[in-house]
Amino acid sequence: MQAELFVSAPAREAIDDGAVLFRGLAAPSEAVLIAAVDAVTAAAPFRHLVTPGGHAMSVAMSNCGTVGWTSDRRGYRYTPTDPQTGLPWPAMPDVFLVLARDAAAQAGYAAFAPDACLINRYVPGAKMSLHQDRDEGDLAAPIVSISLGLPAVFLWGGKARADRPRRIPLGSGDVVVWGGVTRLNFHGVLPLARGEHPALSAQRINITFRKTR
Ligand code: MD6
Ligand code: FE
């Protein structure tokens, strides 16, 4: 029946070449995803990493997967253990993997096999300056990004830092997939506005999946 096609196809918005936004794709999984974030961050607590320039980031971070993204005065890199605990990063929860692979496939990236998952926590005022994601060894693989909690304004820039970014509102359950010719585009997040989310109170959680090797 025709109606079933509409039920199973998520709202899809093209952001750019190779970049797609699926509104609400993760919304049905919100509670399960939050429980999985809680489990990961009980073992690998959120922390404010220091940039090579010596500034503490306003966004708090954790990771799960075979390797995790980290930063200190010596630079940015992926490590197999959590520098704070000395332990391996927690395994990637199944619910994360299933959703990431499904979103990637729907965006046209078959067989996405992420080995790293970065979890970012924003509170009001926290932001992410324009940057490129370029520390991954496999730039042919896309990145999948899931947003939960308070809404944010995502900045979608171009190939050069000076390109004026577009503003894309992201809400809880929205999933962005990007790769291909825009894999290295600059992007960021405006300072989070105050608000109250039913499940996450005054927080936004962003989960990004990457293939580093
Ligand atoms: C955020 N996201 O949405 C920050 N990077 O909180 C990112 O920096 C990002 O969402 C690469 C791909 C997708 C992303
Ligand atoms: Fe990024």
Side-chain angles (χ1 to χ4, degrees):
M1 215 161 67
Q2 190 77 0
E4 288 174 37
L5 292 174
F6 292 109
V7 170
S8 58
R12 178 196 178 100
E13 296 172 30
I15 294 177
D16 205 334
D17 292 336
V20 189
L21 164 56
F22 297 106
R23 290 259 178 229
L25 182 65
S29 315
E30 187 184 270
V32 180
L33 290 168
I34 291 170
V37 168
D38 288 345
V40 167
T41 56
F46 282 117
R47 79 289 310 260
H48 293 274
L49 296 171
V50 173
T51 63
H55 302 285
M57 298 179 72
S58 61
V59 175
M61 297 185 174
S62 183
N63 291 278
C64 57
T66 319
V67 291
W69 188 85
T70 191
S71 173
D72 61 18
R73 293 303 300 244
R74 285 158 39 224
Y76 306 124
R77 62 197 167 279
Y78 282 95
T79 60
T81 54
D82 177 348
Q84 190 167 295
T85 63
L87 300 170
W89 295 104
M92 220 184 286
D94 278 343
V95 55
F96 279 19
L97 256 181
V98 168
L99 200 50
R101 293 181 67 99
D102 180 47
Q106 295 198 51
Y109 301 99
F112 179 46
D115 56 0
C117 170
L118 173 63
I119 305 174
N120 292 156
R121 183 185 67 191
Y122 296 72
V123 296
K127 66 180 174 74
M128 180 87 65
S129 304
L130 281 180
H131 66 277
Q132 295 170 291
D133 286 18
R134 51 187 292 172
D135 303 318
E136 298 75 29
D138 186 350
L139 294 176
I143 294 183
V144 173
S145 159
I146 301 174
S147 294
L148 299 169
L150 287 183
V153 177
F154 190 61
L155 299 172
W156 175 254
K159 306 270 182 260
R161 189 181 292 277
D163 294 343
R164 175 196 272 273
R166 262 168 54 202
R167 296 178 172 213
I168 300 174
L170 292 181
S172 197
D174 289 352
V175 180
V176 178
V177 180
W178 92 67
V181 295
T182 52
R183 175 64 179 73
L184 289 176
N185 275 35
F186 281 87
H187 57 279
V189 178
L190 285 184
L192 199 73
R194 275 198 292 273
E196 182 69 22
H197 182 269
L200 282 171
S201 307
Q203 302 177 90
R204 169 178 185 258
I205 302 285
N206 178 260
I207 310 171
T208 53
F209 300 88
R210 302 102 187 278
K211 191 170 189 310
T212 69
R213 54 192 166 186

